Amino acid sequence: MAILVAVVVASPFADSHEFRPTKECSVEETRAGLCDGGGEDHLDIGDDEEYGPPPNPAPQPAPDPGAPAPPVPIGDPGDPQVPGQPDSPPGADDNGGWQCLDPGEVPVGNECATDPPPEPEEPAPEPGSPAVPDIPPIVVEDIASFAPQPTPPVIEPHGIAIMRAPMNVAVSTSTHTVGGELFGLPVWVTFSPEFATIDYGDGTVIDVSASAPTWDELGQEQLTPTATSHTYGQRGLVTVTVDVAYSATVDFGQWGVFPVNGYIVSPGDGVAVRVYEKQSYLVDGTCEEDPTSPGCGSVF
């Protein structure tokens, strides 16, 4: 036989209490159903929370499409903010009112200074590309082996000189390029003539332009003065040398063209020049007719 037992649990508030006004109800009493709404469709609990849908707003008349828009009141800075606009603190904007402070903790606005962007790093060389070589400053000693060979001077007239008459020294130079290797790299060295130093062999030394033309190139008569002519005061044998000074640049191809500090001097080989003395005599015939006549023999 089954015995049915009914257990009745009494609420702590289910006694002889009557319904209490809403404003006197606690949350527990409201949940227990001991408060009424006083005829309203919502309950006020502790004057803090409301339940139920909000009341309908009063109906507003539809705007007249043809009517002008109402003017917007403009007040001075001290007037209250225009209704409908958010009440923003001074300095606040679209950044949510964030303010930046200077070192003295004074607001300076929301345009905060940031550290400058880092310098872009040089791109790493592509795999397989050659490393950039370290090319030091180039001096004349580095390219001494590239120095051009000197051009022997031309001595006028006919490789001799006549005492107390101008002789002429002509030099032909030009720009030229020599290939080779420097610092373990293939290079092309270009030499450009700058000036020439002429030593006439009797203690006279001058610097002249690297280009020294002949009498014919100048359009002058023989035994006339030029920029490179010289007159000897004694007869004898002298040695004439011409050294040419060049400026130079070194072309390393893809690594660039580098100048050379200083001049590269290409020393010339000496040229022996005989200086004769000219004498005049009144004779009956020519030296061919009488080689023993005065002035027909050697002047030395």
Side-chain angles (χ1 to χ4, degrees):
M1 174 181 296
I3 300 174
L4 180 62
V5 178
V7 179
V8 178
V9 179
S11 169
F13 303 99
D15 50 12
S16 60
H17 293 287
E18 298 180 353
F19 286 103
R20 302 172 63 184
T22 302
K23 295 185 179 298
E24 299 177 0
C25 292
S26 65
V27 175
E28 290 80 5
E29 293 174 332
T30 303
R31 289 176 179 174
L34 299 179
C35 297
D36 62 6
E40 299 178 357
D41 56 358
H42 67 280
L43 296 176
D44 292 333
I45 300 176
D47 290 336
D48 291 329
E49 296 184 24
E50 295 183 0
Y51 294 87
N56 294 329
Q60 299 293 330
D64 186 0
V72 178
I74 301 177
D76 56 29
D79 293 339
Q81 195 168 5
V82 178
Q85 295 184 353
D87 187 10
S88 302
D93 59 6
D94 294 340
N95 290 336
W98 288 100
Q99 293 290 307
C100 300
L101 303 179
D102 63 9
E105 300 296 325
V106 177
V108 294
N110 56 9
E111 295 295 332
C112 299
T114 59
D115 294 334
E119 293 292 336
E121 298 182 357
E122 295 184 0
E126 298 181 1
S129 61
V132 179
D134 183 15
I135 301 176
I138 306 172
V139 296
V140 295
E141 291 79 7
D142 296 326
I143 59 170
S145 61
F146 296 86
Q149 293 296 320
T151 301
V154 176
I155 307 299
E156 297 181 313
H158 310 294
I160 66 170
I162 299 174
M163 192 173 66
R164 291 184 291 273
M167 54 84 73
N168 186 52
V169 177
V171 181
S172 178
T173 60
S174 62
T175 299
H176 57 284
T177 301
V178 181
E181 184 175 298
L182 182 63
F183 306 140
L185 300 171
V187 296
W188 291 95
V189 183
T190 300
F191 294 92
S192 301
E194 299 294 337
F195 61 91
T197 301
I198 302 177
D199 186 343
Y200 292 98
D202 63 349
T204 303
V205 180
I206 64 171
D207 289 334
V208 296
S209 170
S211 176
T214 64
W215 277 321
D216 186 57
E217 291 171 343
L218 291 170
Q220 295 183 203
E221 296 291 335
Q222 292 188 3
L223 305 179
T224 57
T226 68
T228 57
S229 65
H230 181 63
T231 301
Y232 292 97
Q234 294 181 348
R235 62 185 182 182
L237 185 64
V238 295
T239 300
V240 178
T241 59
V242 179
D243 300 338
V244 180
Y246 295 88
S247 60
T249 57
V250 182
D251 187 351
F252 286 87
Q254 62 177 321
W255 312 121
V257 179
F258 295 79
V260 178
N261 295 326
Y263 290 115
I264 297 87
V265 178
S266 178
D269 296 330
V271 177
V273 177
R274 177 74 66 176
V275 181
Y276 292 93
E277 181 180 11
K278 182 179 69 171
Q279 296 178 352
S280 298
Y281 296 93
L282 182 60
V283 297
D284 293 337
T286 65
C287 291
E288 292 180 356
E289 297 173 344
D290 186 1
T292 63
S293 296
C296 293
S298 174
V299 296
F300 298 98

